[in-house]
Amino acid sequence: ARYMFRGGVAERVPFRAFRAASRSTRTSHRRSPASRESRTTAAAMAEPAVPETSAASVRPAVIFFDCDDCLYKNDWRVAKLLTAKIESFCSERLSMRAGHAYELYKKYGTCLRGMQLEKIIDEKVLEEYLEYSHDVPLHEHIAPDPALRLMLQSLDPAVPKWVFTASTKPHATRCLELLGVLDMFEGIIDVRAVDWVTKHDTEAYRRAMAVAGLPASQRPETCLFLDDSTSNMAAAKAVGWQTVLVGRHARDSGEFIECEHADHAVDTVHELEKIMPHLFVNAAPAGASE
């Protein structure tokens, strides 16, 4: 399989179809194997193949949405506020060196998990840390999103939708309230619900399935997951989930992201209908997302 642009969205298509479409635009000149394999700007969406019989061909029975930088995009303004608060707490309250908190986040999926595993924080300080680090003015950076609500309403109501976040339930609740979509979800699966395991760990996805009420016999490929983290894509794919990367440019460098573990990649969550129209029962009116 390879990625092709359809309606401005990168979509994974069968390799044969990809080659056929490519040949239709070529001249009679045959390119060398090395040339065909080279990556150009125009073909930047190409990623390693995923078999035709992969999870991506199975109709989802449940959809899990990440919250921050997935259900909303604002150039990581909220993420930067949270990062600053975490850095402040870690340096001032826990006497950690500058930058160590962010290093733990990159390594473990959350700074908190890194501090737990490296025995930096104890239970007495944990609640203080969570309250302090999430005390940011979300209302200044997140606004109601009618297009997002319409997209969620248009999804097949028979397929339950959950928010699966590495943050806390109170934080995610505030985000969903500000977006105007809190009532669109069955519930919020937060870091407490999965016993502090982060989404870098495959165990988090098994626990999320249990929290969502899925039986132990449920096939993991019936779970669809949307998230902005390539590390989370890798862990979810290892479990067998279907994956959609939301956001195709890196936070720190701005570089274009290539993720071999994503079945699809989009710029915003609003584009879900373009790549998976079979999940929708009510087509959005023209111009609704403009």
Side-chain angles (χ1 to χ4, degrees):
R2 291 293 190 272
Y3 273 123
M4 292 183 69
F5 283 104
R6 295 181 179 177
V9 179
E11 184 170 352
R12 196 177 290 278
V13 298
F15 181 64
R16 291 178 181 174
F18 178 85
R19 293 189 64 184
S22 299
R23 286 171 181 161
S24 67
T25 61
R26 297 178 185 170
T27 65
S28 57
H29 174 68
R30 182 175 295 276
R31 299 161 71 182
S32 67
S35 175
R36 288 198 301 269
E37 291 298 319
S38 65
R39 296 179 182 268
T40 64
T41 301
M45 295 308 300
E47 294 187 357
V50 171
E52 288 274 337
T53 56
S54 69
S57 62
V58 178
R59 182 175 177 78
V62 61
I63 306 175
F64 296 93
F65 292 85
D66 178 39
C67 180
D68 295 301
D69 301 309
C70 180
L71 286 177
Y72 67 88
K73 293 284 186 184
N74 57 18
D75 294 323
W76 297 283
R77 291 198 302 272
V78 170
K80 291 173 182 177
L81 288 173
L82 293 171
T83 298
K85 291 283 287 187
I86 291 170
E87 176 68 23
S88 172
F89 187 92
C90 290
S91 61
E92 297 174 14
R93 179 73 169 80
L94 301 177
S95 301
M96 291 167 56
R97 62 176 172 78
H100 191 195
Y102 193 64
E103 292 171 5
L104 292 174
Y105 157 71
K106 298 292 285 186
K107 181 178 180 180
Y108 294 101
T110 65
C111 173
L112 173 59
R113 190 56 175 166
M115 291 193 294
Q116 288 176 320
L117 294 176
E118 296 193 7
K119 311 300 182 183
I120 297 173
I121 195 170
D122 58 34
E123 293 297 323
K124 292 182 294 184
V125 182
L126 188 148
E127 294 301 329
E128 180 185 350
Y129 165 82
L130 290 174
E131 182 176 355
Y132 179 89
S133 61
H134 289 96
D135 183 17
V136 297
L138 293 177
H139 63 281
E140 296 180 5
H141 305 281
I142 301 177
D145 188 342
L148 173 62
R149 184 174 181 85
L150 182 59
M151 184 274 286
L152 295 171
Q153 286 178 324
S154 299
L155 284 164
D156 185 347
V159 180
K161 301 177 291 292
W162 289 80
V163 169
F164 181 21
T165 177
S167 186
T168 63
K169 185 174 182 179
H171 171 80
T173 299
R174 290 171 62 203
C175 291
L176 298 179
E177 287 176 339
L178 289 167
L179 288 167
V181 297
L182 179 61
D183 61 316
M184 293 285 97
F185 298 94
E186 299 292 323
I188 298 170
I189 301 172
D190 72 346
V191 66
R192 294 179 188 275
V194 294
D195 297 324
W196 310 108
V197 178
T198 76
K199 288 188 282 185
H200 282 200
D201 192 326
T202 55
E203 183 58 27
Y205 301 87
R206 299 185 181 94
R207 295 181 184 182
M209 292 177 70
V211 174
L214 300 177
S217 59
Q218 184 79 29
R219 296 162 58 197
E221 61 267 29
T222 61
C223 297
L224 174 62
F225 180 51
L226 293 89
D227 197 288
D228 64 300
S229 165
T230 56
S231 296
N232 295 350
M233 291 284 102
K237 182 55 64 178
V239 175
W241 285 20
Q242 299 183 49
T243 52
V244 177
L245 180 68
V246 181
R248 295 183 290 182
H249 291 85
R251 169 183 170 179
D252 296 328
S253 66
E255 294 181 352
F256 184 84
I257 297 173
E258 295 184 41
C259 181
E260 64 180 309
H261 307 290
D263 298 314
H264 301 279
V266 294
D267 287 317
T268 72
V269 71
H270 305 77
E271 298 170 326
L272 180 59
E273 186 171 2
K274 294 180 180 179
I275 58 173
M276 306 188 81
H278 57 287
L279 296 180
F280 292 79
V281 294
N282 298 313
S289 62
E290 295 178 358

